[in-house]
Amino acid sequence: MAVAASTPDAIVVGAGLAGLVAASELVDAGRRVVIVDQEPAASLGGQAHWSFGGLFLVDSPEQRRMGVKDSLELARQDWEGTAAFDRDEDEWGRRWAEAYLEFAAGEKRAWLHEKGVRFFPVVGWAERGAGQAIGHGNSVPRFHITWGTGPGVLAPFIARVKAGEAAGLVEFRHRHRVDELIVEGGAVVGVRGAVLAADDAARGEASNREVVGDFELRAPAVVVSSGGIGGNHELVRAAWPARLGEPPAEMLSGVPAHVDGRMLGIAEASGARLVNGDRMWHYTEGITNWDPVWPLHGIRILPGPSSLWFDAEGRRLPPPLYPGFDTLGTLEHLAATGHGHSWFVLTQKIIEKEFALSGSEQNPDLTGKDLKLLAQRVRRGAPAPVEAFKEHGVDFIVADTLDDLLERMRALSPEAPLDTANIEREVHAHDREIENEFTKDLQITALRGARRYRGDKLIRVATPHRFLDAEAGPLIAVKLHILTRKSLGGIQTDLDSRALGADGAPVPGLYAAGEASGFGGGGVHGYRALEGTFLGGCLFTGRAAGRAIASAGRGASEASVSRPRPRRAD
């Protein structure tokens, strides 16, 4: 039996961004923290490590330098139109949304800047919307890419927590899986679970679940920051809402398998209220990773607006379902077709300018802060990771003629009755429309409008051109899959990240942060998100939890205990 030297002030369940932010705030306040995570130390940082590092900021210096006029009022209009809050359960989500908008328009950038976080100067324009001022989407570019991508966001918090470990304030318990929250007298006072066998799995790889012991930890505060359900397709399908049609029979995973949603049910069993489980965020531009890290590993294409988008049967998607405009609107439309895939048709000229791949590992220039490599983005040719997918990816077709492209598209998906004649008509029609500066094709109008923003013109949107212009070729088709990613619902919390029970009162001792809390209140995004808001939600909710626990003062409880369990003969 091993007994801890003293009782911690808090236990953080989940070593992702939200948990690390909460722990760093506690370290700043001189509090003792135990961080519990079922994965090996190699996966410290969780999903955030794999992210592109995009952060939602409002009226930032980067926006102003790019000629973007933004304001809290405009951001509030966009958030409310996107979230479409309409439930009694949305009360706390609304409050979190208002608080987060003020944070994004206020101290968020300065707080991160003080910690050493810097941003790429060109602000991206994600989720461009559904075509109306009052409705879904970002009215202006707000997607600030962190210099260093996801690892760059994590770095200051990992450093602070590691410094706390060196000072004796932080203890990591990797390979400790929480199976139960300890509830006594109506209050959460600790956690129990299984010690898992050591595993040398690299970051993101599946690790073993062999149990070699038990553990129990006690503290006056427990923070659940264990993420959502995106790696558990069974839970995703169980929560899939009727409004999005039938869940696809096959999906790719945009997150590692350990994003399993286990702690949500455990928290609920201990008195926490789960809300908005049917709200979720999955991408429609997923491609099979030719060099996977985890099972069904998919990568999302971050597309510019020029590619023609067709469903599995060869019908062009209707306005305003253009690449990069309305993620869930597109998901709902495609789900109604009864197929789990769709198609981009484009040119080499488009892929060179408009294709970016989500993920820190797919952007070595930004992740590695390599200026020489970064300069290649404004030169001729696609980024090396994109070219690698074009060469090795099973979902990419490259052809010199439209006939050859269409024939190979049909061969790649024989299960779907692809109307290649219609795709051919659409390509020729596009090329006729592109001849003039004016057009009835709203996608062409949209991409020309996008090029009026200097960031898009510089590195994001190709010059309008005919698809069948030989100088723009070769032609390219990309088979796209549904890619699981985020939970938009979760544990309902107040603005101090305290978990709330069914009666609306805080569950004593229990806090939630990050995706497990629906990024605040059990649903800060409502039905849809504006992008760049997921990492920011982890930052904001983790900070709130850490500060609230720190302000509550140092607690005392029973000693922490770990005890080995004999291995089973089998």
Side-chain angles (χ1 to χ4, degrees):
M1 179 182 295
V3 180
S6 60
T7 301
D9 297 286
I11 299 164
V12 174
V13 182
L17 178 59
L20 292 171
V21 173
S24 70
E25 291 288 338
L26 288 160
V27 169
D28 286 344
R31 303 291 191 256
R32 291 193 66 254
V33 189
V34 176
I35 300 174
V36 180
D37 196 281
Q38 68 181 356
E39 295 308 303
S43 285
L44 181 65
Q47 296 177 62
H49 173 88
W50 300 100
S51 78
F52 197 29
L55 290 171
F56 178 94
L57 296 173
V58 177
D59 192 26
S60 69
E62 289 78 16
Q63 286 176 299
R64 294 193 291 271
R65 282 195 289 268
M66 296 302 295
V68 175
K69 297 179 181 179
D70 200 6
S71 67
L72 177 58
E73 292 75 19
L74 183 60
R76 184 182 292 114
Q77 172 181 300
D78 289 346
W79 196 289
E80 291 176 351
T82 297
F85 295 122
D86 63 357
R87 299 173 177 174
D88 292 341
E89 294 89 344
D90 288 333
E91 176 189 357
W92 282 107
R94 289 177 187 271
R95 297 188 193 184
W96 272 98
E98 182 58 34
Y100 181 71
L101 285 165
E102 292 179 359
F103 178 58
E107 65 173 311
K108 179 180 179 181
R109 185 183 181 280
W111 178 65
L112 290 170
H113 197 272
E114 186 273 333
K115 296 179 181 297
V117 176
R118 299 294 183 268
F119 298 102
F120 185 60
V122 178
V123 183
W125 195 349
E127 286 298 293
R128 299 174 189 234
Q132 294 180 316
I134 299 177
H136 168 61
N138 285 296
S139 296
V140 297
R142 296 192 178 104
F143 191 80
H144 295 66
I145 301 169
T146 303
W147 189 228
T149 65
V153 178
L154 282 164
F157 302 102
I158 290 177
R160 187 70 187 107
V161 173
K162 289 287 190 180
E165 183 183 28
L169 293 174
V170 175
E171 180 182 354
F172 285 99
R173 296 287 187 96
H174 297 290
R175 304 299 288 155
H176 281 54
R177 185 188 69 201
V178 173
D179 297 324
E180 176 189 358
L181 298 179
I182 304 171
V183 181
E184 295 177 353
V188 173
V189 297
V191 299
R192 293 191 185 102
V195 179
L196 303 179
D199 197 310
D200 60 1
R203 180 184 294 277
E205 292 181 352
S207 60
N208 74 69
R209 292 293 179 262
E210 181 186 355
V211 174
V212 297
D214 298 325
F215 76 94
E216 179 177 302
L217 295 165
R218 289 177 176 258
V222 175
V223 182
V224 176
S225 54
S226 52
I229 66 173
N232 187 331
H233 289 194
E234 182 178 347
L235 285 183
V236 169
R237 290 191 174 93
W240 195 276
R243 67 180 178 275
L244 294 181
E246 290 294 319
E250 297 180 359
M251 297 182 287
L252 298 177
S253 288
V255 295
H258 63 73
V259 185
D260 55 19
R262 290 183 68 257
M263 284 304 302
L264 295 175
I266 291 170
E268 184 179 34
S270 302
R273 185 189 189 196
L274 300 186
V275 295
N276 300 317
D278 64 321
R279 293 177 180 170
M280 51 186 68
W281 190 259
H282 306 307
Y283 292 112
T284 51
E285 312 98 329
I287 52 177
T288 308
N289 194 342
W290 65 273
D291 187 19
V293 177
W294 54 79
L296 298 174
H297 189 174
I299 297 293
R300 186 205 174 194
I301 295 172
L302 301 172
S306 298
S307 299
L308 292 179
W309 203 339
F310 298 92
D311 68 20
E313 296 186 13
R315 296 176 292 253
R316 187 176 173 192
L317 271 58
L321 304 182
Y322 311 132
F325 277 68
D326 185 351
T327 294
L328 288 198
T330 306
L331 177 61
E332 181 177 0
H333 177 84
L334 292 176
T337 69
H339 300 286
H341 71 274
S342 60
W343 294 94
F344 276 166
V345 173
L346 61 149
T347 65
Q348 177 67 21
K349 187 173 183 178
I350 291 172
I351 202 171
E352 289 181 0
K353 192 97 173 218
E354 298 194 7
F355 267 36
L357 301 175
S358 182
S360 56
E361 81 283 14
Q362 302 298 332
N363 295 274
D365 50 355
L366 293 165
T367 302
K369 304 180 181 181
D370 189 328
L371 291 172
K372 185 176 180 180
L373 193 59
L374 181 66
Q376 296 181 9
R377 289 188 182 244
V378 296
R379 298 173 185 164
R380 185 172 178 80
V386 174
E387 284 293 341
F389 266 88
K390 198 178 80 172
E391 179 180 355
H392 302 293
V394 296
D395 296 316
F396 283 72
I397 300 170
V398 181
D400 291 325
T401 68
L402 185 57
D403 285 344
D404 185 27
L405 187 81
L406 296 172
E407 181 179 345
R408 292 167 63 189
M409 288 171 66
R410 180 181 284 139
L412 188 58
S413 294
E415 75 283 2
L418 187 66
D419 187 348
T420 55
N422 184 63
I423 297 176
E424 184 175 12
R425 283 194 299 270
E426 290 283 5
V427 170
H428 283 289
H430 167 277
D431 283 6
R432 295 186 194 104
E433 293 287 319
I434 209 79
E435 293 292 337
N436 296 294
E437 287 297 315
F438 42 88
T439 174
K440 69 179 181 182
D441 190 308
L442 294 179
Q443 182 174 356
I444 295 174
T445 298
L447 69 91
R448 284 180 171 148
R451 283 178 58 83
R452 296 182 63 187
Y453 167 50
R454 74 182 68 157
D456 277 351
K457 186 173 183 178
L458 179 64
I459 65 169
R460 203 70 182 98
V461 182
T463 304
H465 61 277
R466 293 184 299 110
F467 275 45
L468 299 181
D469 181 350
E471 293 185 1
L475 291 165
I476 300 169
V478 185
K479 185 178 180 180
L480 306 171
H481 308 269
I482 306 301
L483 180 72
T484 65
R485 187 60 64 88
K486 298 293 181 184
S487 309
L488 298 188
I491 300 168
Q492 193 166 53
T493 57
D494 66 11
L495 293 179
D496 285 328
S497 288
R498 295 183 298 178
L500 303 178
D503 60 356
V507 177
L510 184 60
Y511 298 75
E515 193 175 349
S517 69
F519 301 94
V524 69
H525 299 101
Y527 286 92
R528 284 179 165 89
L530 287 175
E531 292 284 34
T533 54
F534 298 141
L535 291 179
C538 290
L539 294 169
F540 194 48
T541 57
R543 191 177 85 146
R547 291 185 177 186
I549 295 168
S551 68
R554 187 182 301 275
S557 65
E558 298 177 25
S560 304
V561 178
S562 292
R563 58 183 180 275
R565 171 186 291 175
R567 294 175 182 261
R568 297 193 314 178
D570 58 352

